[in-house]
Amino acid sequence: MFLKLLIGLCKINKLINSLRMALLTLIILQGITSSATTYYISPYGDDNNSGTSTLAPWQTIEKVNSFNFSPGDSILFQGGQVFSGNLYFDSNDAGMLSEPVTISSYDTGRSEINTSSGNALFIYNAAGFKICNIKFSGGGCDINEADGISIFMDLPGSVKLPYIFINEVEVSGFGGWGICIGSWNGLSGFTDITVMHVESHDNCKGGI
């Protein structure tokens, strides 16, 4: 009888320890998930704001470029508004397959990134990005000779960077390609690339 009771107590103790480990894992995962932040950009904002709410948005692309983003972060431009400049991201801003950095719009309609010179969006030696529901314009083939969206890497060592997702995007008015994804160093490159529901038009070299 005592032996059966002892065995029962051991089983209960193991169950309690298992529940404790499961709860600890859940707390850790919640902590990781909650670290992701959404940043808002509006012409009516201020770069001295926190940028973390629609009531206190940033104002310019320059502010976005000066900031280093973490996996899971979202960068949302106000829909129906035009923002001038060149978005730039590098390995300091890289997301992950499970937690990409998202570039998109909030509020009503698509936001527009307009640039008279250079890439509207340039991602260098980085991946883990989701680009959706946004417009990029270059003002015309004879005005802007660059690519609209350029995602490029030249890392050594046959590196493969995972995850580029482009969806519900319009790119027009560039002298190069609307969307150009490539690499220039041995066998290094990108994996897990999706380009869908894209309007790439009036670009001199081609669409994608």
Side-chain angles (χ1 to χ4, degrees):
M1 183 68 181
F2 176 76
L3 181 60
K4 287 183 179 180
L5 180 61
L6 183 62
I7 293 173
L9 290 173
C10 288
K11 288 182 178 180
I12 292 173
N13 189 48
K14 285 182 179 180
L15 178 60
I16 291 173
N17 286 333
S18 297
L19 290 173
R20 283 176 178 170
M21 288 301 297
L23 180 60
L24 179 61
T25 301
L26 180 60
I27 291 171
I28 292 172
L29 288 175
Q30 285 178 336
I32 293 173
T33 303
S34 63
S35 66
T37 306
T38 299
Y39 298 91
Y40 300 90
I41 304 93
S42 166
Y44 311 106
D46 188 320
D47 286 346
N48 292 317
N49 288 340
S50 66
T52 55
S53 79
T54 56
L55 298 178
W58 291 337
Q59 185 182 45
T60 68
I61 286 176
E62 287 74 16
K63 178 64 177 182
V64 175
N65 290 342
S66 71
F67 200 84
N68 289 334
F69 297 94
S70 301
D73 284 351
S74 294
I75 305 154
L76 306 182
F77 294 86
Q78 188 173 12
Q81 304 295 329
V82 179
F83 300 84
S84 298
N86 310 78
L87 280 169
Y88 175 79
F89 301 93
D90 58 24
S91 57
N92 293 315
D93 308 295
M96 299 187 298
L97 176 63
S98 58
E99 293 183 286
V101 172
T102 298
I103 304 166
S104 188
S105 304
Y106 76 96
D107 215 339
T108 304
R110 285 181 182 173
S111 55
E112 178 181 342
I113 308 299
N114 181 277
T115 175
S116 59
S117 177
N119 311 115
L121 171 60
F122 183 39
I123 297 173
Y124 177 59
N125 282 343
F129 284 86
K130 181 178 181 180
I131 306 157
C132 57
N133 192 33
I134 192 167
K135 179 180 179 179
F136 301 93
S137 59
C141 290
D142 54 343
I143 296 175
N144 190 337
E145 298 180 355
D147 302 320
I149 297 175
S150 179
I151 303 173
F152 179 81
M153 68 103 79
D154 56 6
L155 295 172
S158 299
V159 176
K160 298 294 190 295
L161 299 180
Y163 197 73
I164 298 291
F165 185 85
I166 303 175
N167 182 35
E168 297 290 349
V169 166
E170 181 180 355
V171 191
S172 64
F174 293 90
W177 298 91
I179 299 175
C180 183
I181 303 172
S183 62
W184 193 261
N185 196 343
L187 297 177
S188 291
F190 299 95
T191 62
D192 198 0
I193 299 171
T194 300
V195 179
M196 60 190 295
H197 303 139
V198 165
E199 300 175 70
S200 185
H201 59 90
D202 297 303
N203 302 295
C204 285
K205 283 189 178 179
I208 302 171

Coordinates of all heavy atoms in Angstrom, one line a residue, residues 55-121:
L55 N -1.7 57.8 -32.9 CA -1.8 59.2 -32.3 C -0.5 59.9 -32.2 O -0.4 61.1 -31.9 CB -2.5 59.1 -31.0 CG -3.9 58.5 -30.9 CD1 -4.5 58.4 -29.5 CD2 -4.9 59.4 -31.8
A56 N 0.6 59.1 -32.3 CA 1.9 59.7 -32.2 C 2.9 59.1 -33.3 O 3.9 58.4 -33.0 CB 2.5 59.4 -30.8
P57 N 2.5 59.3 -34.6 CA 3.3 58.6 -35.6 C 4.6 59.4 -35.9 O 4.7 60.6 -35.6 CB 2.3 58.7 -36.8 CG 1.5 59.9 -36.6 CD 1.4 60.0 -35.1
W58 N 5.5 58.8 -36.6 CA 6.6 59.5 -37.2 C 6.1 60.2 -38.5 O 5.0 60.0 -38.9 CB 7.7 58.5 -37.6 CG 8.4 57.9 -36.4 CD1 8.5 58.3 -35.2 CD2 9.1 56.6 -36.4 NE1 9.3 57.5 -34.4 CE2 9.7 56.4 -35.1 CE3 9.4 55.7 -37.4 CZ2 10.4 55.3 -34.8 CZ3 10.2 54.6 -37.1 CH2 10.7 54.4 -35.8
Q59 N 7.0 61.0 -39.0 CA 6.6 61.8 -40.2 C 7.3 61.4 -41.5 O 6.8 61.4 -42.6 CB 6.8 63.3 -39.9 CG 6.3 64.2 -41.1 CD 6.5 65.6 -40.8 OE1 7.6 66.0 -40.4 NE2 5.5 66.5 -41.0
T60 N 8.6 61.0 -41.4 CA 9.4 60.9 -42.6 C 10.1 59.6 -42.8 O 10.3 58.8 -41.9 CB 10.5 62.0 -42.6 OG1 11.5 61.7 -41.6 CG2 10.0 63.4 -42.4
I61 N 10.5 59.3 -44.0 CA 11.2 58.1 -44.4 C 12.6 58.2 -43.7 O 13.2 57.2 -43.4 CB 11.3 58.0 -45.9 CG1 10.0 57.5 -46.5 CG2 12.4 57.0 -46.3 CD1 9.9 57.4 -48.0
E62 N 13.2 59.4 -43.6 CA 14.5 59.6 -43.0 C 14.5 59.0 -41.6 O 15.5 58.4 -41.1 CB 14.9 61.0 -43.0 CG 15.3 61.6 -44.3 CD 14.1 61.8 -45.3 OE1 12.9 61.9 -44.8 OE2 14.4 62.0 -46.5
K63 N 13.4 59.2 -40.9 CA 13.3 58.7 -39.5 C 13.3 57.1 -39.5 O 14.0 56.5 -38.7 CB 12.0 59.2 -38.8 CG 11.8 58.6 -37.4 CD 12.9 59.1 -36.5 CE 12.6 58.6 -35.1 NZ 13.6 59.0 -34.1
V64 N 12.6 56.6 -40.5 CA 12.5 55.1 -40.6 C 13.9 54.6 -40.9 O 14.4 53.6 -40.3 CB 11.6 54.7 -41.8 CG1 11.6 53.2 -42.0 CG2 10.1 55.1 -41.4
N65 N 14.7 55.2 -41.8 CA 16.0 54.8 -42.2 C 17.0 54.9 -41.0 O 18.0 54.1 -41.0 CB 16.5 55.5 -43.4 CG 15.8 55.2 -44.7 OD1 15.1 54.2 -44.7 ND2 15.9 56.1 -45.6
S66 N 16.7 55.7 -40.1 CA 17.7 56.0 -39.0 C 17.5 54.9 -37.8 O 18.3 54.9 -36.9 CB 17.5 57.4 -38.4 OG 16.3 57.5 -37.7
F67 N 16.5 54.1 -38.0 CA 16.1 53.2 -36.9 C 16.4 51.8 -37.3 O 16.3 51.4 -38.4 CB 14.6 53.3 -36.7 CG 14.1 52.9 -35.3 CD1 14.2 53.7 -34.2 CD2 13.6 51.6 -35.2 CE1 13.7 53.2 -33.0 CE2 13.1 51.1 -33.9 CZ 13.2 51.9 -32.8
N68 N 16.8 51.0 -36.3 CA 17.1 49.6 -36.5 C 15.9 48.8 -36.0 O 15.5 48.9 -34.9 CB 18.3 49.1 -35.8 CG 19.6 49.6 -36.4 OD1 19.6 50.0 -37.6 ND2 20.7 49.8 -35.6
F69 N 15.3 47.9 -36.9 CA 14.1 47.2 -36.6 C 14.5 45.7 -36.2 O 15.5 45.2 -36.6 CB 13.1 47.2 -37.8 CG 12.7 48.6 -38.1 CD1 13.3 49.4 -39.0 CD2 11.6 49.2 -37.4 CE1 12.9 50.7 -39.3 CE2 11.2 50.5 -37.6 CZ 11.8 51.2 -38.6
S70 N 13.5 45.1 -35.5 CA 13.7 43.8 -34.9 C 12.8 42.8 -35.6 O 11.7 43.2 -36.2 CB 13.5 43.8 -33.4 OG 14.4 44.6 -32.8
P71 N 13.1 41.5 -35.6 CA 12.1 40.5 -36.2 C 10.7 40.7 -35.6 O 10.5 40.9 -34.4 CB 12.7 39.2 -35.7 CG 14.2 39.5 -35.6 CD 14.3 40.9 -35.1
G72 N 9.7 40.7 -36.5 CA 8.3 40.8 -36.1 C 7.8 42.2 -36.1 O 6.6 42.5 -36.0
D73 N 8.7 43.2 -36.2 CA 8.3 44.6 -36.3 C 7.5 44.9 -37.6 O 7.7 44.3 -38.6 CB 9.5 45.6 -36.2 CG 10.1 45.7 -34.8 OD1 9.4 45.2 -33.9 OD2 11.1 46.3 -34.7
S74 N 6.6 45.9 -37.5 CA 5.8 46.3 -38.7 C 6.0 47.8 -38.8 O 6.0 48.6 -37.9 CB 4.3 46.1 -38.5 OG 4.1 44.7 -38.4
I75 N 6.2 48.2 -40.1 CA 6.4 49.6 -40.5 C 5.2 50.0 -41.4 O 5.2 49.6 -42.5 CB 7.7 49.8 -41.2 CG1 8.9 49.3 -40.3 CG2 8.0 51.3 -41.6 CD1 10.1 48.8 -41.1
L76 N 4.3 50.8 -40.9 CA 3.1 51.1 -41.6 C 3.0 52.6 -41.9 O 3.0 53.4 -41.1 CB 1.9 50.7 -40.7 CG 1.9 49.2 -40.2 CD1 0.6 48.9 -39.4 CD2 2.0 48.2 -41.3
F77 N 2.8 52.8 -43.2 CA 2.6 54.2 -43.7 C 1.1 54.5 -43.9 O 0.4 53.6 -44.3 CB 3.3 54.4 -45.1 CG 4.8 54.3 -45.0 CD1 5.5 53.0 -45.0 CD2 5.6 55.4 -44.8 CE1 6.8 52.9 -44.9 CE2 7.0 55.3 -44.7 CZ 7.6 54.1 -44.8
Q78 N 0.7 55.7 -43.6 CA -0.7 56.0 -43.7 C -1.3 55.9 -45.1 O -0.7 56.5 -46.0 CB -1.0 57.4 -43.1 CG -2.5 57.7 -43.0 CD -2.7 59.1 -42.3 OE1 -1.8 59.9 -42.2 NE2 -4.0 59.3 -41.9
G79 N -2.3 55.1 -45.2 CA -3.0 54.9 -46.5 C -3.5 56.2 -47.2 O -4.0 57.1 -46.5
G80 N -3.4 56.2 -48.5 CA -3.8 57.4 -49.2 C -2.9 58.6 -49.2 O -3.2 59.6 -49.8
Q81 N -1.7 58.4 -48.5 CA -0.7 59.5 -48.4 C 0.5 59.2 -49.2 O 0.8 58.0 -49.5 CB -0.4 59.8 -47.0 CG -1.6 60.1 -46.1 CD -2.3 61.4 -46.4 OE1 -1.6 62.3 -46.9 NE2 -3.6 61.4 -46.2
V82 N 1.3 60.2 -49.6 CA 2.5 60.1 -50.4 C 3.7 60.5 -49.5 O 3.7 61.5 -48.9 CB 2.5 61.0 -51.7 CG1 3.8 60.8 -52.5 CG2 1.3 60.6 -52.6
F83 N 4.7 59.6 -49.6 CA 5.9 59.9 -48.8 C 7.1 59.9 -49.7 O 7.3 59.0 -50.5 CB 6.1 58.8 -47.8 CG 5.0 58.6 -46.8 CD1 3.8 57.9 -47.1 CD2 5.0 59.3 -45.6 CE1 2.8 57.8 -46.2 CE2 4.0 59.2 -44.7 CZ 2.8 58.4 -45.0
S84 N 7.9 61.0 -49.7 CA 9.0 61.1 -50.5 C 10.3 60.6 -49.9 O 10.6 60.9 -48.7 CB 9.2 62.6 -50.9 OG 8.1 63.1 -51.6
G85 N 11.1 59.9 -50.7 CA 12.4 59.4 -50.2 C 12.7 58.0 -50.6 O 12.0 57.4 -51.5
N86 N 13.8 57.5 -50.1 CA 14.3 56.1 -50.4 C 14.4 55.3 -49.2 O 15.2 55.5 -48.3 CB 15.6 56.2 -51.1 CG 15.7 57.3 -52.2 OD1 15.8 58.5 -51.9 ND2 15.7 56.8 -53.4
L87 N 13.5 54.2 -49.1 CA 13.6 53.3 -48.0 C 14.8 52.4 -48.1 O 15.1 51.9 -49.1 CB 12.3 52.5 -47.9 CG 11.1 53.1 -47.3 CD1 9.9 52.2 -47.6 CD2 11.2 53.3 -45.8
Y88 N 15.5 52.3 -47.0 CA 16.7 51.5 -47.0 C 16.8 50.6 -45.7 O 16.6 51.0 -44.6 CB 18.0 52.4 -47.0 CG 19.3 51.6 -46.9 CD1 19.8 50.9 -48.0 CD2 20.0 51.5 -45.6 CE1 21.0 50.2 -47.9 CE2 21.1 50.8 -45.5 CZ 21.7 50.1 -46.6 OH 22.8 49.4 -46.5
F89 N 17.1 49.3 -46.0 CA 17.2 48.3 -44.9 C 18.4 47.5 -45.1 O 18.7 47.1 -46.3 CB 16.0 47.4 -44.8 CG 14.7 48.2 -44.5 CD1 13.9 48.6 -45.6 CD2 14.3 48.5 -43.2 CE1 12.7 49.3 -45.4 CE2 13.1 49.2 -43.0 CZ 12.3 49.6 -44.1
D90 N 19.1 47.1 -44.0 CA 20.2 46.2 -44.2 C 20.2 45.1 -43.1 O 19.2 44.9 -42.5 CB 21.6 47.0 -44.2 CG 21.8 47.8 -42.9 OD1 21.1 47.4 -41.9 OD2 22.5 48.8 -42.9
S91 N 21.3 44.4 -42.9 CA 21.4 43.3 -41.9 C 21.0 43.7 -40.5 O 20.6 42.9 -39.7 CB 22.7 42.6 -42.0 OG 23.8 43.6 -41.7
N92 N 21.1 45.0 -40.2 CA 20.7 45.5 -38.9 C 19.2 45.5 -38.7 O 18.7 45.6 -37.6 CB 21.2 46.9 -38.6 CG 22.7 46.9 -38.5 OD1 23.3 46.1 -37.9 ND2 23.3 47.9 -39.2
D93 N 18.4 45.3 -39.8 CA 17.0 45.4 -39.8 C 16.3 44.0 -40.1 O 15.1 43.9 -40.2 CB 16.4 46.4 -40.8 CG 17.1 47.8 -40.6 OD1 16.9 48.4 -39.6 OD2 17.8 48.2 -41.5
A94 N 17.1 43.0 -40.3 CA 16.6 41.7 -40.8 C 15.6 41.1 -39.9 O 15.7 41.1 -38.7 CB 17.8 40.8 -41.1
G95 N 14.6 40.5 -40.6 CA 13.6 39.7 -39.9 C 13.9 38.2 -40.0 O 15.0 37.9 -40.4
M96 N 13.0 37.4 -39.6 CA 13.1 36.0 -39.7 C 11.9 35.4 -40.5 O 10.9 36.0 -40.7 CB 13.2 35.3 -38.3 CG 14.4 35.8 -37.5 SD 14.6 34.9 -36.0 CE 13.1 35.3 -35.1
L97 N 12.1 34.1 -40.9 CA 11.0 33.4 -41.6 C 9.7 33.4 -40.7 O 8.6 33.7 -41.2 CB 11.4 32.0 -41.9 CG 10.4 31.1 -42.5 CD1 10.0 31.6 -43.9 CD2 10.9 29.6 -42.6
S98 N 9.8 33.2 -39.4 CA 8.7 33.1 -38.6 C 8.2 34.5 -38.1 O 7.1 34.7 -37.7 CB 9.0 32.2 -37.3 OG 10.1 32.7 -36.6
E99 N 9.1 35.4 -38.1 CA 8.8 36.8 -37.6 C 9.4 37.8 -38.6 O 10.5 38.4 -38.3 CB 9.4 37.0 -36.2 CG 8.7 36.2 -35.2 CD 9.3 36.5 -33.8 OE1 10.5 36.1 -33.5 OE2 8.6 37.2 -33.0
P100 N 8.8 38.0 -39.8 CA 9.4 39.0 -40.7 C 9.2 40.4 -40.3 O 8.3 40.7 -39.5 CB 8.6 38.6 -42.0 CG 7.3 38.1 -41.5 CD 7.6 37.3 -40.3
V101 N 10.0 41.3 -40.8 CA 9.7 42.7 -40.7 C 8.7 43.1 -41.8 O 8.9 42.8 -43.0 CB 11.0 43.5 -40.9 CG1 10.7 45.0 -41.0 CG2 12.0 43.3 -39.8
T102 N 7.6 43.7 -41.5 CA 6.5 44.0 -42.4 C 6.5 45.5 -42.8 O 6.6 46.3 -42.0 CB 5.1 43.6 -41.8 OG1 5.1 42.2 -41.5 CG2 4.0 44.0 -42.8
I103 N 6.4 45.7 -44.1 CA 6.3 47.1 -44.7 C 5.0 47.2 -45.4 O 4.7 46.4 -46.4 CB 7.5 47.4 -45.6 CG1 8.8 47.2 -45.0 CG2 7.4 48.8 -46.2 CD1 10.0 47.1 -45.9
S104 N 4.1 48.0 -44.9 CA 2.7 48.0 -45.4 C 2.1 49.4 -45.2 O 2.7 50.4 -44.8 CB 1.9 46.9 -44.8 OG 0.7 46.7 -45.5
S105 N 0.7 49.4 -45.3 CA -0.1 50.6 -45.1 C -1.1 50.4 -43.9 O -1.4 49.2 -43.6 CB -0.9 51.0 -46.3 OG 0.0 51.1 -47.5
Y106 N -1.5 51.5 -43.3 CA -2.6 51.4 -42.4 C -3.6 52.5 -42.7 O -3.4 53.3 -43.6 CB -2.1 51.6 -40.9 CG -1.7 53.1 -40.6 CD1 -2.7 53.9 -39.9 CD2 -0.5 53.6 -40.9 CE1 -2.4 55.2 -39.6 CE2 -0.2 54.9 -40.5 CZ -1.1 55.7 -39.9 OH -0.8 57.0 -39.6
D107 N -4.8 52.4 -42.2 CA -5.9 53.3 -42.4 C -6.5 52.9 -43.8 O -6.4 51.7 -44.2 CB -5.4 54.8 -42.5 CG -6.5 55.7 -41.9 OD1 -7.7 55.3 -41.9 OD2 -6.1 56.8 -41.5
T108 N -7.0 53.8 -44.5 CA -7.8 53.5 -45.8 C -6.9 53.7 -47.0 O -6.2 54.7 -47.2 CB -9.0 54.5 -45.9 OG1 -9.8 54.3 -44.7 CG2 -9.8 54.1 -47.1
G109 N -6.9 52.7 -47.9 CA -6.1 52.8 -49.1 C -4.7 52.5 -49.0 O -4.2 52.2 -47.9
R110 N -3.9 52.5 -50.1 CA -2.5 52.3 -50.1 C -1.7 53.5 -49.9 O -2.1 54.6 -50.4 CB -2.1 51.6 -51.4 CG -2.4 50.2 -51.6 CD -1.9 49.7 -53.0 NE -2.3 48.3 -53.2 CZ -2.1 47.7 -54.4 NH1 -1.6 48.3 -55.4 NH2 -2.5 46.4 -54.5
S111 N -0.6 53.4 -49.1 CA 0.3 54.5 -49.1 C 1.2 54.4 -50.3 O 1.3 53.4 -51.0 CB 1.1 54.4 -47.8 OG 1.8 53.2 -47.7
E112 N 1.9 55.6 -50.6 CA 2.8 55.6 -51.8 C 4.2 56.1 -51.4 O 4.3 57.2 -50.7 CB 2.2 56.5 -52.9 CG 3.1 56.7 -54.1 CD 2.5 57.6 -55.2 OE1 1.2 57.8 -55.1 OE2 3.2 58.0 -56.0
I113 N 5.2 55.4 -51.8 CA 6.6 55.8 -51.6 C 7.0 56.4 -53.0 O 7.1 55.6 -53.9 CB 7.5 54.7 -51.2 CG1 6.9 54.0 -49.9 CG2 8.9 55.2 -50.9 CD1 6.7 54.9 -48.7
N114 N 7.3 57.7 -53.0 CA 7.6 58.3 -54.3 C 9.1 58.8 -54.2 O 9.5 59.5 -53.3 CB 6.7 59.5 -54.6 CG 7.0 60.2 -55.9 OD1 7.9 61.0 -55.9 ND2 6.3 59.9 -56.9
T115 N 9.9 58.5 -55.2 CA 11.3 58.9 -55.3 C 11.7 59.3 -56.7 O 11.4 58.6 -57.6 CB 12.2 57.8 -54.8 OG1 13.6 58.2 -54.9 CG2 12.0 56.5 -55.5
S116 N 12.3 60.5 -56.8 CA 12.7 61.0 -58.1 C 14.1 60.4 -58.5 O 14.5 60.5 -59.7 CB 12.7 62.5 -58.1 OG 13.6 63.0 -57.1
S117 N 14.8 59.8 -57.5 CA 16.1 59.3 -57.8 C 16.5 58.1 -56.9 O 16.2 58.2 -55.7 CB 17.2 60.4 -57.7 OG 18.5 59.9 -57.9
G118 N 16.9 57.0 -57.5 CA 17.3 55.9 -56.7 C 16.1 54.9 -56.4 O 15.0 55.2 -56.8
N119 N 16.5 53.8 -55.8 CA 15.4 52.8 -55.5 C 14.4 53.4 -54.5 O 14.8 54.0 -53.5 CB 16.1 51.6 -54.9 CG 17.3 51.1 -55.7 OD1 18.4 51.0 -55.2 ND2 17.0 50.6 -56.9
A120 N 13.2 53.1 -54.7 CA 12.2 53.4 -53.7 C 12.3 52.6 -52.4 O 12.1 53.0 -51.3 CB 10.8 53.3 -54.3
L121 N 12.7 51.3 -52.6 CA 13.0 50.4 -51.5 C 14.2 49.6 -51.9 O 14.2 48.9 -52.9 CB 11.8 49.5 -51.3 CG 12.0 48.3 -50.3 CD1 12.4 48.8 -48.9 CD2 10.7 47.4 -50.2

